Amino acid sequence: VSALRRALATAFALGAGLSACGGDDEQPSAPKGADGAVAIKTFQFKPDPVRVRAGTAVRWENQDDIEHTVTAGTRGKATGEFDKKLNLGDAFSHTFAKAGTYAYVCTIHMGMDGGVIVG
Ligand SMILES: [Cu+2]
């Protein structure tokens, strides 16, 4: 009986964990922590584009001593999916659930346009 209870408890824990991911049943094996890292440095996003697997996160870190933003969409056409102000040393992560190509910009500085390729 105790073995059965353990199995049920494990199944419940797994189910709860998956539902907490918010979504897409197609990538249950996407490893957590396999994140893409983007440095914001000298008014550039590096690397650009950054590539990540669906279901994983991109983490931006501002290494400039000036404020930047990481804003989903193209210049003047924010999608609202994310919009974060970052000062020196600040970081922000966003998980991309679905495959595709995503544009983002720093709304403060012309020319700071980046891309995320999710595969
Ligand atoms: Cu900027």
Side-chain angles (χ1 to χ4, degrees):
V1 173
S2 66
L4 178 59
R5 277 190 182 166
R6 253 201 313 278
L8 287 172
T10 302
F12 180 76
L14 285 172
L18 286 174
S19 64
C21 291
D24 203 335
D25 293 330
E26 290 170 26
Q27 288 93 22
S29 61
K32 279 194 171 181
D35 296 351
V38 176
I40 307 174
K41 198 170 186 179
T42 58
F43 296 85
Q44 290 180 300
F45 297 110
K46 299 178 181 181
D48 178 36
V50 61
R51 295 167 189 272
V52 292
R53 286 184 175 280
T56 65
V58 174
R59 181 182 186 274
W60 289 266
E61 181 178 308
N62 186 4
Q63 298 178 6
D64 279 342
D65 191 10
I66 190 169
E67 185 179 86
H68 294 295
T69 79
V70 176
T71 304
T74 55
R75 192 160 302 280
K77 288 188 180 178
T79 66
E81 192 176 6
F82 52 84
D83 181 16
K84 184 73 176 176
K85 288 182 181 175
L86 300 176
N87 287 298
L88 175 63
D90 289 344
F92 165 68
S93 294
H94 180 80
T95 299
F96 291 84
K98 299 193 177 198
T101 301
Y102 299 86
Y104 67 94
V105 299
C106 167
T107 59
I108 301 169
H109 303 112
M110 290 291 288
M112 285 188 70
D113 304 328
V116 179
I117 297 175
V118 181

